[in-house]
Amino acid sequence: MEVQFTLNGKKVSTKIAADTVLLNLLRDLGCKSVKCGCETTNCGLCTVWIDGKSRLSCSVLAASIDGHEVTTLEGVEKEAAEFGSFLAQEGAEQCGFCSPGFIMNVLAMFRELKNPSIEEIKEYLAGNLCRCTGYMGQLRAIQKYMEVRNTAVNITVKKMGGEE
């Protein structure tokens, strides 16, 4: 069967078997940031965005993305690098194996939640497992990133004559 979708802003048309999992298709298409860590939808390493919403690509049949938009870490490199610098400043970046899925969820959370509390951040990211770090450095990095990004957004809105 053939699927056509948008991957990181580019149109893709490819043949797949009916039982192909999105995780495997994305890796075959060169998106090496999408990783398999558990095969049970428990670790978050395979997180991608489908039409802007976080999804675990290991639990999605590739046939179901026909006509949809898929974004991987490769498609948000600039934002990912910016947040990655906040992780590094907090000493929360270790081996990097879980980072792509974690970063995809943090960026999605930034787009969905306005000024989330620590508890809301923890709940949003509950499905992302990290075996190298304690989560406190990651939480500090998230809070600082969101503070800086929200300030930048507010400044831009003011310059454009809008309201906060």
Side-chain angles (χ1 to χ4, degrees):
M1 92 181 352
E2 186 170 333
V3 293
Q4 296 178 1
F5 64 103
T6 302
L7 175 61
N8 298 326
K10 296 179 182 159
K11 298 284 185 192
V12 173
S13 181
T14 187
K15 292 190 185 298
I16 59 165
D19 64 347
T20 301
V21 174
L22 181 57
L23 163 79
N24 297 330
L25 174 60
L26 293 173
R27 289 191 59 79
D28 289 347
L29 292 172
C31 298
K32 301 305 182 188
S33 70
V34 184
K35 298 178 182 141
C36 180
C38 68
E39 296 181 339
T40 58
T41 69
N42 288 311
C43 70
L45 271 66
C46 66
T47 301
V48 299
W49 300 342
I50 299 176
D51 297 331
K53 298 286 184 190
S54 289
R55 296 283 306 275
L56 299 174
S57 62
C58 72
S59 68
V60 175
L61 285 176
S64 71
I65 63 160
D66 193 52
H68 292 275
E69 182 176 345
V70 177
T71 305
T72 68
L73 191 72
E74 288 85 355
V76 290
E77 275 187 63
K78 185 177 177 184
E79 290 174 87
E82 182 183 1
F83 176 65
S85 70
F86 283 82
L87 285 172
Q89 289 169 14
E90 292 300 324
E93 181 72 349
Q94 299 292 321
C95 79
F97 190 68
C98 67
S99 297
F102 176 73
I103 290 172
M104 289 300 290
N105 262 339
V106 168
L107 297 178
M109 179 180 59
F110 176 73
R111 292 172 177 176
E112 291 177 31
L113 303 180
K114 300 297 177 210
N115 301 314
S117 68
I118 286 287
E119 290 309 312
E120 289 172 314
I121 293 170
K122 287 179 182 179
E123 183 178 331
Y124 196 97
L125 300 174
N128 289 94
L129 301 181
C130 176
R131 291 165 180 88
C132 291
T133 68
Y135 293 97
M136 294 312 297
Q138 291 177 339
L139 289 173
R140 286 190 305 271
I142 291 167
Q143 287 180 301
K144 289 178 181 178
Y145 171 77
M146 292 185 92
E147 182 180 310
V148 167
R149 291 287 301 185
N150 283 329
T151 300
V153 167
N154 289 337
I155 289 170
T156 301
V157 168
K158 284 181 184 178
K159 284 183 181 177
M160 295 174 67
E163 295 182 30
E164 288 183 51

